[in-house]
Structure formats: C-alpha cells, structure tokens
Amino acid sequence: MNLKKMLLLISVWIYSLTLYGQYTPFFQNYALTEFNAGNQNWGMSLAENGKLYIANDKGLVEFDGLKWDLYQLPNKTIMRSVLAYKGVVYTGSYEEFGYWKKNLKGELYYTSLSNFKEKSASSDEEFWQILSHKEAILFRSFSTLYSYKNGEINRVKPKSTILSCSVVNDEVYVSTVRDGIFILENNRLKPFLNVSTLYNTKVVSIAKYQEKLLITTALNGCYLYDEIKNKLEPWASEINSIIKEQQLNTFRILKSKDMVFGTIKNGIYITNNAGTIKYHINKENGLLNNTVLSHELGKTNELWIGLDNGIARLDLNYSHVLYSDNSGKLGAVYDVIHYNNKLFLGSNTGLFYLDDGKSELRFVEGSQGQVWDLKEINGQLLCGHNNGTYLVEGNRLKQISDFTGGWVLKKIPELKNTFIQGTYGGLVRFDFQNGKWETQHLGDKTIPIKYLVFEDPYTAWVAHAYRGLFRVKFNETHDRVLSYENYRNKGLLSDYNVKVHKIKNDICFKTNEGWQKYEVLIDSIVPFKLLNSFFGSDTDIISESDTDIIVTKNSTDKISFVSLTENKQILNLPNKLLQKRLVVDAESVSKLNDSIYTFNLYDGFMLINKAIERHMDTLQIPIIEHIEVDKEFISINGEEGYEFPFNKNISVSVSSPLSNNHFFEYAITTSDSLNWYRMDNEKLELSNLSNGEYSVHFRTVNFSGETSKEKIIQIKILPPWYKNIWFYVMVLVLSSGVFFWLHKRKIGKEQMALQNKLVKEQEILLKEKAIESDKKIVQLKNQSLKNEVKLKSKQLANTAMALVKKNESLLEIKNELENNKSDFNNALAYKRLIRKIDNSLGHEDEWELFEYNFNQVHEEFFKQLKTEHPKLTHKDLKICAYIKMNLLTKEIAPLMNVSIRGLETHRYRLKRKLNLENHKSLNDYLRNFK
C-alpha cells in the first residue's frame, strides 16, 4: 500500500469518529476590564427596578444594563454578600454590615448597622449571606445570625458553625456543621433535622421539591427529605454523582422547574426537574472561569453568574442556543438543513450531522472538502460540494454530478423536476426522471456563477463570483443557453461583488455602491431607493430572499430579521451576541421551520427562535438617575421641573435596567416639533443654552427601532444677571451719569482743543517765520558761496592768464634767442639758456598749484573725469581743465608749450577718447561735466 492511499484511509477513519460538541443557551461574558472592579464576585442581587448589585472584592458593583459603577465601603474591605430589597441595598463585609440607599441627588450612600450594643465580641466575623423574611433582613456569618427589623437588631448564636440559610414556604432553615438543621422562630433556633448523614457536611441550600425538601450539599450530593415519614435518602438523579466530584457551591430551582447547579470546579449545570442534564456551561465552551461563586435570576428569565474571575449573563428563555464543536474539526459552517430527523451541517471541511436531541457530531463519509449548498428536493437531500453534487444517503454520499463547485441550485419556474445550478464552470441543468438524476452543462460559458435567480421560466440573472452580471436566455426546452448579456454598462454602479436577489417579484442587485433593481421597460438597472432607505445601502441579505422573512447584515455586523409583509424589522441580533465567530463575507442564515433559524458560524451555529425573541423585546421608560450642574449633583424632584442659572454645564444621566438590547434617544424642543438624536452613552450633556424654557424628552430604543414611552423633564434657564429690572434701572442711572460725565468731558475736550489749536497755530507761525529766516540765511550762504566761487574762478583765471603771459614772454625770448643763435659764441651757454626757458614753460610746481586751486573751484572734477574715462593721460587732463575754465585755444597753446595747430590735433584726439560724436562740442561737454 503506497503512502498516498494510507494517508487517505487514515483521514477517513479520523473523520468517521464521533466529534463531541455542546448545545448551550446563549451567554455573554463580562470581563474585569468591563466592570472595572475586583476579580471575585461573591454575591448577586437584582433590585425591583432591574439594576444588578454585586458583592465584589473591591466593593459594591452596580449595573443598569449599560453602565457599571463601583461603590466602596469606608474601610474598602471585601464585600461578601448583597441583597436588594424594596429600594434598599443591604451588604455584608468583614466585621461590617449595613445598607445603601439613594439620597435626593440619586447618589448611593452607606449606613452601617454593625455598631449596636448586642453585637458579638468575636473577631474575624464575615457576613456571607443576606436574605429577607417577613419584613426582616437576616445577616449570616459563620458564628451568628443577625435579624434587622424596624430599626432593631437581634442576635442568634448557635453552638455550631452556621453553613447556610434558606427560606422555604415562609420558614427559615438554618444549617449548621455538627448540630443539624434548625428553623428560626421568634429569634430562636428550633431543632428540625439532625442526622449523622449531614454531620460535618456543608449544606448549600434547602428547597421545596415535589412535596419534599431537596437538601443540596457541597461534596455529598443531594438528598430528599420526607417530613411525613421523617426519611432522608439520596436523590437518584444524573446530576447527583457529578456535583459530588465538581463541588456544588450554588443552587436554584427555576420557574420552569429546571434546576441550576453552580460548581467550584466545572462551571454551571442546568438540568430538568428530574436532574437530567440539559446544558453544561464551563470554560471549555466559553465561560470565563469554572468557579461559580454566586448567581441571580432576573425578571426576564436571565441568569446572572458571579465567577471567581468575571461575570456572565445566561439566557434561560433559550431564544438563542449555541452549538459549539469543541474538537475544532467542524470549521466554518455554510449551510444547515433538517432532514430525516437529523441536522446536517455543511462546512469548509465536509458534511456533518447531528441526530435529533443529541449533541454528538458525526461526519458523513467521503465528504471531505467545501460544502456550499444543502437542499431537499423530492424527499432527497442534495449536497452542492467543491467536487460536484451529491445525494446524501444515510451517512454516505452518492455523486450525481461531477461539475465542480455546486454553489446554488434553483428550480425552473413552472417546471416540476428541472433545476439549474450555478457552478465553478457555468450553468448545469439537473433533471429528476424515474427516480434518477441526470445532469447537463449548458452552453460554452464557463464563468464561475455564485448567484442565480429566475426572472421568468426562460430568463435568469446570474452573477459572477467576483465581477460581472449577466442576463441569461434559455431556449424552449432549457437544454441550451441562447445568450449571456452583460449588463456592466447598463446602469450598474459597480460590477464587483454583485449579488442577485428576487424580492417581491423585483430583480434586485446588491452592489458595492448600494441597492439597484432591473427596470424592464427601459431594459436598464436603476437605483432602488426603497431598499436603500429600508435596508440601508451597506446592508446585505444573508438568507433566502424569496420568502416573507429575510435576514440582513449591515456593515457593523448587526443581524436583522425583516418581515416584507409588515415592512419592519421583527428581530435584531447585536454583534456582541456573535462573539467574533462570523464567517466573514460568507455569513448565512438557514431556515429550519417557521420560527427556528440557524445562524451559521465558525465551529458551530446559533439556533434562533424569533418568536421568543420578539416576545422578549421589552422597553421601559427611562429613569432619571442624576442631574449635574457644573459636575455637582442636584436634588431630583418628582415634578420633573428644574431651574438652572445661566451659562452652566448641565448633564442628565438616565437608565432603563429592565430594557433589553437598548440605547437612548433625546429631543429638546421649545415648540411642538421633535427631532430625535441618539445618545452616545447614558449621559446627555447640555451647554450654552440661552435663557428660556425647554422640554427635554428621553426615550428607550431597541435595535428593531421600537421605542418606549417618553420621559420628559422641564428645564428653565434663568436669565443672566444683566437681564432684570434692577439691572436696567442701574444701567439707566449709570448711563445718565456716564452721559453727564461724557458731556462734561466733551465740553472740556472742546475747550482744550480750541486752546491747543491756538497754540498750534502760533507754533506754525513761528515755524514758518523760522523757516523763512532759515531760507534767507541759506540764500545768503549760497550767495556768499557763489561769490566765493566766482572770486576763486576769477583768481584762477588771473593765475592762468598770468601763466599764459609768462609763457608767451618766455616763448618770445626763446624765439629771439633762436633767431640770434649765431650771435652766441658759446654754444654751451646757449643750450643752457634754452633749457632753462623750457623748464620754466613746463614747471610741475606751477601745474600742481594750478590743479589744487582748480579743485577748490571745481570739486572732484578730475576724479570723476578719470572714473568715467580712465584712458585720459596727464596732458589730456590739463587740456580738459583749461577748457573747463573757458580758455581759448590760443590761450591754452602757450600753457601746454605747443603750437595752436598741435593743440587742435590734441583736441581732436581728446574728443575721440571722450567718445563724443562729431556734432558734439568738446567745450560744451567739459563745461557741463560734473
């Protein structure tokens, strides 16, 4: 035998074994992080108004259905017991017992009863139990029993340790360790039962059972006591041997006669009246802890369970019953059907079944793989499987189609035994003839078809598993597909993840963008406003859509049962009930009968009885718990009318403990119209209200949209301090005074302004005179400077003319000498004389003196000229200076020791250096140069 065959046989053998699961009533856990107190919850009690009170490690815990509060004793000791009775909450602790009561502000305050004269002097006394009897409140410790009535406390102290107290038929039974059981009469203990069987046995409780007394113990099981025959015998029941092993800690008989056994080691057991186990709830199937310390029954038949670590709330109406596969082999459930006294479950791991009334999960041999669809046709069960389609015969499968992926199977309208199936590879026809099934693939189209509905016998709508929507036409004999018409471009908002449904003869489509429908008159797909408003654009259908009641799921995982006949939601499942077990994007609900549905989950399913759920949906009018003004509590009056100062922050806290699956809405109005808004929590914050009168409406709402009666309080916001008659009188007086003062001030200002005006005018006149004087001084200075410049120019011109004359004389002398050169006998003397004359003509000292004087008159002339024309030579600058002084050419030539013609040539070259055009005058350029 090869390895592959061996593995196959082993896998078949494993799956053929019985898998154990459990049915449990729905229960909801509350972890420490939710109620924010201690781990251990020693006692529980429900008040008449529906609030739950818990004796916790940290103190007294109060729960109103939405909000948890913790109240601690002054010494902050562990609280062991609690009893809510007629508006008062009694608690017992270490060496302390007393009661809590609300004051006019809605706050719980504590009154101690432990400081009385007759109190036992023993130390380390803890009060483990509190119960009421004939208007008296009984506090039990291990050593003493205290009775509180009409403000008086009486003490009863037996010789032996007290283990428990029970009230049966208006009698108080007191169980002790060594002295048996007593009856409390007139604050005295009367012996009732003292047998060796109960010696050193912890009696948990005593209850009435079939005209006998049922005595439950922690480790010795349960006994039945017949008072007439004075006979005590063990109770013959299934539960008796179990609680001996698991150590019984709490016990209760329900109104339905079912019994609840809370154990220390293994959670809680629920039995019928004969002690046969119906349900077992422990940590293995979801309970937070196996140690049950306390429990309490609510008015709507819910059982609160106090654990060693956490709290649980159990639905004893059995409107939601969970089935869980503890082995983990079941996987994600896709479809459930009841067939031949069995409940068949199709999952991603195969096909399983449960026999009626049993919780043992069995595997159908050969069904390994994904099961998509289960459908009963003509008394036969068909299974749409990943590998094809099968008939279910007993606990085996018989394949009738090898076309893989049997997603959906629909009957052709008006044909009795002909069906069309959507598969991984297109459409397949099924015919039931002569007790046999025949299959045929239709057409060449091999797309995966996950959704299919018939518009008429010859037209169907099919949706691709991922993308696409088609209208399919069949021929008259339904053995061939005539056409696949793609409706992607005919109004479809999105062709991804399209789902097709038929609702009240309308072909409807759920797309990523909301609901649409087919409009036959225009052969197009249009938005379906009715479903978008009724269901919601983010809501999908997860059940069969061609029935009156359909099941929907929105984006927040809220499951709703909707009646199409009544056009309203008849049942809602908040997402907290599902405990994160949803098969995401493949959620499905299967209908077993008219009232029972299964919600298919990972590793199991939830049985839902919609009839019970609808009956249970009770809504109570909200209760005003607290009213705060700027974080300070105020008294709550019965008239519901309140006055508040202006500009204060007001908050109103409400509760509705007797309501189920609820939240609150409010409306504020000063007229007849009401606009309701959802409250995020139980507290409404009001701020920035203008003065006036307001009606504040509160109501309780459930997830079905049902509402309770309204609670209305009247609020009057007083006017601000500045809105009253005395304020206006004061304002008038002050205004008059201010007006008089302002008028007087105005006159003073006007007088001061006139005086300042005169002063300013005088200052202006003085300034103008000073300016005129300054102008005259400046003019005189300028005239003086001009005269000085004129004088210096004249001096400079005289100097230049003197130089000219000197040079002319020297030139004449030089010419004479040159003309009479022959008369000189000494040639050396002649040359020496000529050289002296030439030196006198070009003497540098004279030029420097001239340049200095010239700069005094024409400041920065040479500097600016050199900056703009850096190529000018020293000789060029001299000529420019002489031209600037208006000297003529014949006057400049002797100064330069050149001829007139030579000077003209030099002037021409100078004009080119200055980049002057031909028509430009050199004299004008230099005279105007600055």
Side-chain angles (χ1 to χ4, degrees):
M1 183 182 294
N2 60 31
L3 179 62
K4 185 175 181 181
K5 290 184 178 179
M6 183 180 294
L7 291 174
L8 179 60
L9 287 175
I10 292 172
S11 65
V12 170
W13 175 76
I14 291 174
Y15 271 94
S16 65
L17 295 176
T18 299
L19 305 178
Y20 289 95
Q22 288 192 32
Y23 284 101
T24 62
F26 169 74
F27 60 92
Q28 182 179 358
N29 287 310
Y30 297 91
L32 177 63
T33 54
E34 295 181 70
F35 56 86
N36 293 320
N39 293 329
Q40 297 173 309
N41 300 282
W42 298 100
M44 290 184 155
S45 182
L46 276 160
E48 290 84 350
N49 62 6
K51 286 189 177 182
L52 175 69
Y53 292 93
I54 304 169
N56 181 270
D57 280 355
K58 296 291 185 180
L60 178 65
V61 175
E62 179 189 63
F63 181 56
D64 66 2
L66 292 177
K67 180 173 63 73
W68 300 87
D69 287 309
L70 175 66
Y71 301 90
Q72 291 185 302
L73 291 167
N75 55 15
K76 297 184 179 180
T77 54
I78 294 176
M79 202 166 282
R80 296 293 190 183
S81 55
V82 61
L83 173 68
Y85 181 73
K86 292 186 176 181
V88 180
V89 181
Y90 298 90
T91 59
S93 181
Y94 174 71
E95 294 187 346
E96 176 66 45
F97 64 92
Y99 63 88
W100 302 76
K101 195 172 183 179
K102 281 193 173 184
N103 59 18
L104 294 177
K105 297 180 180 180
E107 299 173 292
L108 274 180
Y109 67 94
Y110 180 70
T111 301
S112 175
L113 296 175
S114 60
N115 298 321
F116 61 97
K117 294 180 180 179
E118 300 298 325
K119 181 182 176 182
S120 173
S122 63
S123 59
D124 296 329
E125 187 177 32
E126 288 187 279
F127 295 90
W128 288 90
Q129 191 178 9
I130 306 173
L131 60 159
S132 63
H133 178 248
K134 296 181 179 179
E135 302 301 322
I137 304 299
L138 305 178
F139 297 87
R140 178 191 68 81
S141 70
F142 284 132
S143 62
T144 312
L145 183 64
Y146 296 92
S147 174
Y148 173 67
K149 184 178 181 180
N150 298 327
E152 293 185 359
I153 296 178
N154 292 295
R155 179 166 60 92
V156 178
K157 187 175 177 59
K159 296 179 181 180
S160 181
T161 301
I162 304 175
L163 295 174
S164 66
C165 293
S166 303
V167 178
V168 182
N169 293 336
D170 215 22
E171 297 282 356
V172 178
Y173 293 85
V174 181
S175 303
T176 66
V177 174
R178 295 184 300 273
D179 298 330
I181 300 172
F182 297 84
I183 294 178
L184 180 66
E185 289 184 355
N186 299 321
N187 295 322
R188 294 181 181 275
L189 293 179
K190 173 184 174 183
F192 173 71
L193 178 64
N194 188 7
V195 293
S196 59
T197 305
L198 299 179
Y199 186 79
N200 278 335
T201 298
K202 180 183 177 181
V203 175
V204 173
S205 68
I206 301 174
K208 190 70 175 179
Y209 180 77
Q210 297 177 354
E211 305 303 322
K212 298 179 182 179
L213 290 180
L214 178 63
I215 302 173
T216 61
T217 70
L219 295 171
N220 294 347
C222 303
Y223 298 89
L224 289 176
Y225 176 65
D226 189 332
E227 294 184 68
I228 298 174
K229 297 180 180 180
N230 192 25
K231 182 179 180 181
L232 182 72
E233 59 184 359
W235 182 36
S237 63
E238 179 186 4
I239 191 65
N240 214 17
S241 60
I242 294 174
I243 60 175
K244 289 178 182 179
E245 297 175 359
Q246 307 303 338
Q247 190 175 347
L248 183 68
N249 193 44
T250 64
F251 172 78
R252 179 184 297 270
I253 298 179
L254 305 175
K255 294 179 181 178
S256 63
K257 304 301 181 180
D258 285 352
M259 300 180 180
V260 178
F261 297 84
T263 69
I264 294 294
K265 296 181 179 180
N266 204 13
I268 201 160
Y269 294 84
I270 299 175
T271 72
N272 62 13
N273 194 40
T276 303
I277 297 174
K278 295 174 65 175
Y279 302 108
H280 177 210
I281 304 154
N282 59 6
K283 191 171 183 180
E284 185 177 339
N285 52 37
L287 204 64
L288 289 175
N289 185 266
N290 275 334
T291 300
V292 179
L293 299 180
S294 58
H295 63 238
E296 174 71 331
L297 185 65
K299 291 185 178 181
T300 55
N301 213 25
E302 77 277 10
L303 183 71
W304 289 94
I305 306 170
L307 303 171
D308 191 60
N309 186 8
I311 300 168
R313 181 181 183 270
L314 184 67
D315 175 20
L316 292 178
N317 287 297
Y318 312 131
S319 57
H320 304 108
V321 176
L322 283 167
Y323 178 83
S324 299
D325 167 38
N326 299 328
S327 71
K329 295 179 181 179
L330 177 59
V333 177
Y334 283 79
D335 202 1
V336 178
I337 191 170
H338 190 261
Y339 175 74
N340 281 355
N341 299 319
K342 292 182 176 66
L343 198 65
F344 285 88
L345 287 73
S347 78
N348 67 315
T349 62
L351 182 64
F352 300 79
Y353 68 91
L354 294 164
D355 288 315
D356 282 356
K358 297 183 179 180
S359 60
E360 298 169 351
L361 186 66
R362 299 181 183 275
F363 182 71
V364 177
E365 185 177 344
S367 69
Q368 293 92 337
Q370 174 72 58
V371 175
W372 292 112
D373 185 39
L374 296 171
K375 193 174 295 292
E376 183 180 359
I377 301 174
N378 295 330
Q380 295 181 325
L381 179 59
L382 274 69
C383 173
H385 194 277
N386 182 71
N387 298 330
T389 303
Y390 298 85
L391 277 180
V392 181
E393 297 179 340
N395 61 345
R396 294 180 179 272
L397 295 181
K398 177 183 177 182
Q399 190 167 24
I400 59 174
S401 169
D402 58 359
F403 296 105
T404 59
W407 260 319
V408 56
L409 184 67
K410 291 292 181 72
K411 177 179 171 295
I412 299 176
E414 301 179 10
L415 295 182
K416 184 178 180 181
N417 292 316
T418 306
F419 304 82
I420 301 294
Q421 184 184 57
T423 70
Y424 294 168
L427 295 176
V428 176
R429 170 176 163 165
F430 281 67
D431 286 290
F432 186 69
Q433 301 291 340
N434 301 320
K436 295 183 178 180
W437 287 96
E438 296 180 357
T439 60
Q440 174 191 355
H441 193 277
L442 300 179
D444 300 327
K445 205 79 168 179
T446 58
I447 61 172
I449 295 175
K450 194 171 185 179
Y451 301 95
L452 181 153
V453 297
F454 279 93
E455 180 182 336
D456 57 50
Y458 302 100
T459 309
W461 289 86
V462 299
H464 191 285
Y466 308 104
R467 183 183 184 185
L469 175 67
F470 303 89
R471 193 172 185 229
V472 181
K473 287 287 188 179
F474 300 94
N475 64 357
E476 292 184 358
T477 57
H478 294 92
D479 58 359
R480 186 164 56 89
V481 174
L482 299 176
S483 65
Y484 278 87
E485 185 177 0
N486 195 331
Y487 270 69
R488 176 186 302 175
N489 299 319
K490 289 194 174 185
L492 192 65
L493 294 176
S494 170
D495 62 343
Y496 286 97
N497 305 315
V498 180
K499 298 178 182 179
V500 187
H501 302 281
K502 190 170 185 179
I503 303 175
K504 289 186 175 181
N505 295 320
D506 282 323
I507 304 298
C508 307
F509 313 99
K510 175 62 178 69
T511 72
N512 291 337
E513 306 299 325
W515 285 96
Q516 295 185 268
K517 70 175 182 177
Y518 175 64
E519 195 64 63
V520 65
L521 295 178
I522 58 175
D523 187 28
S524 184
I525 297 174
V526 298
F528 201 167
K529 294 181 180 179
L530 178 63
L531 290 190
N532 281 319
S533 61
F534 183 52
F535 289 158
S537 61
D538 64 342
T539 300
D540 198 3
I541 295 175
I542 59 174
S543 67
E544 291 290 336
S545 57
D546 55 354
T547 58
D548 175 58
I549 294 177
I550 59 178
V551 186
T552 64
K553 182 189 79 73
N554 68 7
S555 59
T556 61
D557 294 336
K558 186 184 80 171
I559 311 302
S560 301
F561 285 68
V562 181
S563 171
L564 298 179
T565 303
E566 300 177 16
N567 288 326
K568 70 175 184 177
Q569 296 178 358
I570 59 174
L571 184 153
N572 283 279
L573 300 179
N575 54 14
K576 65 181 181 180
L577 300 185
L578 307 176
Q579 296 187 337
K580 300 180 181 180
R581 293 176 61 183
L582 288 176
V583 183
V584 179
D585 294 330
E587 299 88 347
S588 63
V589 170
S590 304
K591 182 178 179 180
L592 301 185
N593 57 44
D594 289 340
S595 61
I596 304 297
Y597 294 77
T598 67
F599 192 98
N600 306 323
L601 306 168
Y602 274 107
D603 297 322
F605 56 89
M606 176 186 285
L607 282 172
I608 301 168
N609 189 330
K610 70 178 181 62
I612 295 177
E613 178 68 23
R614 187 174 185 182
H615 177 72
M616 282 182 61
D617 275 343
T618 57
L619 291 175
Q620 301 295 324
I621 188 170
I623 300 169
I624 304 299
E625 291 287 345
H626 305 290
I627 298 178
E628 299 174 67
V629 179
D630 284 349
K631 305 297 182 181
E632 294 290 333
F633 290 108
I634 67 167
S635 297
I636 301 173
N637 59 54
E639 299 177 357
E640 307 300 345
Y642 302 90
E643 289 186 354
F644 301 110
F646 182 75
N647 199 26
K648 296 289 185 181
N649 292 322
I650 303 165
S651 65
V652 182
S653 299
V654 296
S655 69
S656 185
L658 291 174
S659 299
N660 294 319
N661 299 322
H662 66 286
F663 56 90
F664 298 107
E665 290 183 340
Y666 74 95
I668 302 176
T669 180
T670 56
S671 60
D672 295 332
S673 61
L674 286 178
N675 293 317
W676 291 96
Y677 302 94
R678 179 168 177 168
M679 294 170 59
D680 293 332
N681 48 46
E682 81 292 342
K683 182 181 288 188
L684 174 63
E685 302 281 351
L686 301 172
S687 59
N688 300 322
L689 292 178
S690 58
N691 63 289
E693 295 184 355
Y694 299 87
S695 293
V696 184
H697 302 247
F698 297 94
R699 67 183 183 187
T700 311
V701 187
N702 63 16
F703 292 98
S704 299
E706 298 173 331
T707 60
S708 70
K709 294 181 179 180
E710 298 175 17
K711 179 71 173 181
I712 305 174
I713 62 172
Q714 303 295 330
I715 291 178
K716 181 179 182 180
I717 305 298
L718 298 175
W721 59 271
Y722 50 82
K723 286 188 178 181
N724 59 70
I725 186 64
W726 292 110
F727 173 76
Y728 291 125
V729 171
M730 182 179 67
V731 169
L732 181 62
V733 172
L734 290 175
S735 299
S736 301
V738 170
F739 178 78
F740 176 76
W741 177 76
L742 290 175
H743 180 68
K744 187 175 181 180
R745 183 183 177 188
K746 182 181 178 182
I747 294 174
K749 283 185 176 181
E750 289 177 352
Q751 291 176 348
M752 183 64 70
L754 289 174
Q755 184 177 353
N756 291 337
K757 185 178 179 181
L758 292 174
V759 172
K760 287 181 179 179
E761 289 177 351
Q762 291 177 358
E763 289 178 352
I764 291 171
L765 290 174
L766 291 174
K767 286 181 180 180
E768 289 177 352
K769 289 181 180 180
I771 290 170
E772 289 179 0
S773 299
D774 291 340
K775 286 182 179 180
K776 288 181 179 180
I777 292 171
V778 170
Q779 289 176 355
L780 291 174
K781 286 183 178 180
N782 290 339
Q783 187 64 40
S784 174
L785 291 173
K786 288 181 180 179
N787 292 335
E788 184 177 355
V789 170
K790 188 176 182 181
L791 178 61
K792 287 185 177 181
S793 297
K794 189 174 181 180
Q795 290 175 351
L796 184 60
N798 291 337
T799 303
M801 291 307 297
L803 287 173
V804 168
K805 290 181 179 180
K806 184 198 78 164
N807 287 347
E808 286 178 348
S809 299
L810 290 174
L811 287 173
E812 289 178 357
I813 294 172
K814 181 179 179 182
N815 290 334
E816 287 293 331
L817 290 174
E818 287 178 350
N819 292 333
N820 298 293
K821 179 180 180 181
S822 59
D823 294 337
F824 279 88
N825 296 324
N826 189 344
L828 184 61
Y830 172 79
K831 289 180 181 180
R832 188 183 297 114
L833 183 59
I834 291 301
R835 190 167 46 252
K836 284 183 179 182
I837 291 172
D838 288 337
N839 289 337
S840 297
L841 287 173
H843 202 282
E844 288 298 327
D845 291 340
E846 292 178 351
W847 168 251
E848 289 177 0
L849 179 61
F850 176 80
E851 186 179 17
Y852 173 77
N853 291 328
F854 185 84
N855 281 332
Q856 292 295 314
V857 177
H858 303 285
E859 187 177 1
E860 298 295 327
F861 175 76
F862 288 122
K863 185 177 180 181
Q864 293 295 333
L865 196 60
K866 288 178 182 178
T867 301
E868 293 191 21
H869 306 286
K871 293 182 179 182
L872 295 179
T873 64
H874 188 68
K875 189 175 182 180
D876 294 333
L877 293 174
K878 286 183 179 182
I879 294 173
C880 290
Y882 292 142
I883 294 172
K884 180 74 173 175
M885 292 178 59
N886 290 324
L887 296 181
L888 302 177
T889 301
K890 63 179 182 178
E891 295 175 337
I892 298 173
L895 293 173
M896 300 296 297
N897 195 19
V898 295
S899 65
I900 293 175
R901 185 174 181 79
L903 183 61
E904 289 293 343
T905 300
H906 201 91
R907 282 171 61 96
Y908 175 75
R909 293 174 180 169
L910 178 60
K911 190 173 182 180
R912 293 184 63 184
K913 289 183 179 181
L914 295 176
N915 299 321
L916 296 179
E917 298 176 2
N918 292 333
H919 66 278
K920 296 288 184 179
S921 169
L922 178 62
N923 291 355
D924 291 340
Y925 175 74
L926 291 174
R927 287 170 187 162
N928 295 322
F929 186 84
K930 296 181 179 179

